[in-house]
Amino acid sequence: MRPSVPSRLAPYALAALLLAAGWANLARGAAHPGVPYRPWAFAHQSYSDLLAMGGDRYFNGGRPLPYLEDRIEYPVLLGLALWLPSFAPGGPLGYFTAGYLALAACGLLAVWLLRRLPGSDPWWLAATPALVVYAGLNWDLLPIALTVGALVALSRGRSGLAGALCALGVAAKLYPVALVPGAAALLWRRPRDLARFGGALGAVLLAVNLPVALAAPESWSWFFRFNGQRGAENSIWEALPFALSPAALNRITAVPLLLAAAAAALAAWRAGSRGDASGAAALRLGTGLVLVTWITVNKVWSPQYALYALLAGALAAAPRWMMGALSAMALLDYWTAFAYRARGMDPAFRDLAVHPGEWLRTALHLAFALWLARALWRAARAPAPELS
């Protein structure tokens, strides 16, 4: 029986309501542009990188070209997402609203795409209150929508389109590369589709990055150099009683991430031998496992990374109570992160609230990663079809 119109529209209506609440909270900061913005935003639990970074660059009448005139610590598409709203009229509020509307559209598009991805649960993304605080904190809803779009394209046999969408996601943030190990393994037995996927992935990455890399190599490579030299920030590594160098952290965190990627590839390769449905399920679970492992062990934690855990839950159609737990942690994490900054990085608040929160968040995400790994293991172990 086909769902009624209200039930079909319900996830979009709820997501739109949460997104509107997020805009109403964050838009208040447009009245405090420039240097005063950050302390005001921290004190009022209303921080957005859109207003902070836009105010650093555009609110005094300038419009420096990304990378050519302005070094940006993000990949190329996010540099464009930061710059394009500067053409919107209306000053800081117009700039923020233009950028936020684009991100809200990405969020609603991701929900729409999840409804077209068999085996997923769009309510994980549509109903989480984390949308209120994280939709406009950074630009992550853009790569999230592109990731889901790539998975939908793969589920429909459009491997070239999937590779192109994945490349655009990687050109916005690196996280969409999480689907590549599983996708490559799933397509391994179909060399033509694998070539289409890989060819489109490489061609789009080159088309987006190469012109900027040639025109401004130092600015383009700043994203990689900046992140390579960062130490532990807001992550479980910061809560340890001893410090590790950035180089050591890079090596240590690479190990579980590579193991998760190998597990995703192996499961997709094995499940793919049993047909499209089994392979697609393993791909969704493997992508979710890589995403959750990545954000859990990463040396740097930004609060909006919670959206990637929620995306993983949507892809895996994990139990809704897990969504509730992760959403509650995401809200607590948001409050802690900015209350800490509002208190001037007070050591007492760090020891009593921030570090315990980092341990709690990591434990919760590790438990979720283990759930995903177990589901992936079950998908990979399902018996192969008997030969006739």
Side-chain angles (χ1 to χ4, degrees), residues 83-127:
W83 178 67
L84 286 174
S86 67
F87 291 91
L93 182 60
Y95 173 90
F96 173 74
T97 300
Y100 192 92
L101 285 175
L103 291 170
C106 289
L108 293 171
L109 176 61
V111 173
W112 183 82
L113 289 166
L114 283 166
R115 296 197 71 182
R116 280 145 186 83
L117 185 62
S120 66
D121 182 1
W123 286 103
W124 266 76
L125 204 57

Side-chain angles (χ1 to χ4, degrees), residues 242-258:
F242 53 88
L244 293 167
S245 69
L249 286 169
N250 292 340
R251 291 191 296 269
I252 292 170
T253 57
V255 173
L257 181 57
L258 290 173

Side-chain angles (χ1 to χ4, degrees), residues 328-339:
M329 185 68 240
L331 296 177
L332 176 62
D333 208 35
Y334 183 89
W335 177 82
T336 304
F338 296 114

Side-chain angles (χ1 to χ4, degrees), residues 28-58:
R28 299 178 298 152
H32 306 272
V35 174
Y37 171 71
R38 285 177 173 85
W40 179 91
F42 298 154
H44 290 80
Q45 291 281 302
S46 184
Y47 178 80
S48 168
D49 278 331
L50 278 70
L51 280 167
M53 298 182 71
D56 294 342
R57 291 164 168 82
Y58 310 125

Side-chain angles (χ1 to χ4, degrees), residues 211-290:
V212 181
L214 292 176
E218 287 296 313
S219 292
W220 175 82
S221 62
W222 172 240
F223 164 74
F224 302 99
R225 291 182 284 116
F226 173 74
N227 285 285
Q229 68 193 20
R230 294 175 82 175
E233 297 177 24
N234 310 316
S235 65
I236 188 62
W237 306 103
E238 183 184 63
L240 296 176
F242 53 88
L244 293 167
S245 69
L249 286 169
N250 292 340
R251 291 191 296 269
I252 292 170
T253 57
V255 173
L257 181 57
L258 290 173
L259 289 174
L266 179 61
W269 177 79
R270 180 167 178 175
S273 67
R274 299 193 300 275
D276 293 342
S278 297
L283 176 59
R284 288 185 288 101
L285 288 165
T287 300
L289 176 62
V290 175

Side-chain angles (χ1 to χ4, degrees), residues 140-191:
D140 293 81
L141 285 177
L142 170 60
I144 283 173
L146 290 165
T147 300
V148 184
L151 290 168
V152 171
L154 281 169
S155 73
R156 300 188 176 192
R158 304 184 65 181
S159 53
L161 177 60
L165 292 173
C166 180
L168 290 173
V170 173
K173 284 211 172 176
L174 292 185
Y175 287 112
V177 80
L179 69 86
V180 171
L186 184 63
L187 298 174
W188 188 259
R189 293 180 179 88
R190 291 142 47 194

Side-chain angles (χ1 to χ4, degrees), residues 15 33 71 75 82 92 104 165 191 206 215 223 232 290 320 322 357 368:
R71 190 174 67 174
L82 174 64
L165 292 173
L206 281 175
F223 164 74
V290 175
R320 298 269 178 87
M322 290 184 176
F368 186 39

